[in-house]
């Protein structure tokens, strides 16, 4: 039976952390192994730079198995070495994922007309200064990014549980149709 591997794209320093984690995941007894099935954490790792022009086995995985014709890592405004990703499949459908980011013109300039934009919207518009301080986006900033990129659809994610209030409908109406 072929091992199922997880493909991880990230900053090079993450690889060492994951290797330590993988080493600690090995079950030491049969009961644990039986309960968890396959106890090992097995992964392939590539850096953001390698993601731009992937080496084997990543290129084989992306191009042959997933039918991805273009893959791009996009630096965003968050913590050190934070990146979003963009991918296009052989039918021309595209996905852009912002990851955690403050409003980021570089993301907008890096890709246009995505089929789907997945963008974080951690803060309500009332907390724009907090969003900027913590390097996250407001709902309006995420929707503005979608509009500027001419995204066909947008999925907003990463809502903060600290601010459970829904965004004002007037703000949503301002972005309707974009």
């Amino acid at each position: 039976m072929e091992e199922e591997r997880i493909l991880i794209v990230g900053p090079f320093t993450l690889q060492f952390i994951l290797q330590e984690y993988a080493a600690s995941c090995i079950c030491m007894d049969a009961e644990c192994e039986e309960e968890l099935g396959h106890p090992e954490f097995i992964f392939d790792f590539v850096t953001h730079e390698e993601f731009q022009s992937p080496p084997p086995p990543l290129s084989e995985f992306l191009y042959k198995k997933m039918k991805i014709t273009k893959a791009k890592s996009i630096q965003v405004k968050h913590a050190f070495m934070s990146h979003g990703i963009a991918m296009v499949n052989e039918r021309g459908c595209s996905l852009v994922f912002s990851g955690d980011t403050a409003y980021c013109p570089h993301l907008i300039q890096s890709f246009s007309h995505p089929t789907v934009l997945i963008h974080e919207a951690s803060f309500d518009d009332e907390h724009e200064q907090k969003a900027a301080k913590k390097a996250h986006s407001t709902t309006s900033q995420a929707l503005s990014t979608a509009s500027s990129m001419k995204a066909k659809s947008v999925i907003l994610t990463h809502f903060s549980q600290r601010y459970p209030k829904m965004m004002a409908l007037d703000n949503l109406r301002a972005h309707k149709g974009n």
Side-chain angles (χ1 to χ4, degrees), residues 20-124:
E20 285 185 28
Y21 175 75
S24 72
C25 286
I26 299 172
C27 291
M28 298 300 170
D29 60 46
E31 186 178 310
C32 177
E33 187 168 337
E34 185 177 305
E35 189 175 307
L36 295 177
H38 189 35
E40 296 178 80
F41 177 59
I42 301 169
F43 65 94
D44 290 315
F45 186 90
V46 294
T47 65
H48 293 292
E49 293 81 14
E50 291 172 322
F51 192 66
Q52 309 291 42
S53 51
L58 174 60
S59 58
E60 185 175 310
F61 175 77
L62 286 174
Y63 302 134
K64 290 183 181 173
K65 288 188 178 178
M66 294 187 64
K67 311 294 185 197
I68 301 296
T69 57
K70 182 179 177 184
K72 182 177 188 176
S73 175
I74 304 165
Q75 189 164 8
V76 295
K77 291 183 175 182
H78 192 62
F80 178 65
M81 298 184 81
S82 293
H83 288 76
I85 60 167
M87 294 184 286
V88 181
N89 73 11
E90 65 184 9
R91 294 184 313 199
C93 295
S94 57
L95 170 76
V96 175
F97 175 66
S98 73
D100 285 356
T101 185
Y103 178 74
C104 184
H106 180 67
L107 179 68
I108 296 166
Q109 296 162 358
S110 296
F111 204 91
S112 63
H113 299 88
T115 307
V116 178
L117 168 65
I118 302 173
H119 200 292
E120 74 113 311
S122 297
F123 290 89
D124 183 292

Side-chain angles (χ1 to χ4, degrees), residues 121-128 137-140 156 158-172:
S122 297
F123 290 89
D124 183 292
D125 293 345
E126 294 173 13
H127 298 97
E128 188 172 350
S137 296
T138 66
T139 305
S140 287
L156 300 178
H158 200 270
F159 301 108
S160 174
Q161 296 303 309
R162 293 179 297 254
Y163 310 104
K165 187 177 112 181
M166 289 297 291
M167 185 173 136
L169 288 177
D170 289 344
N171 291 341
L172 287 173

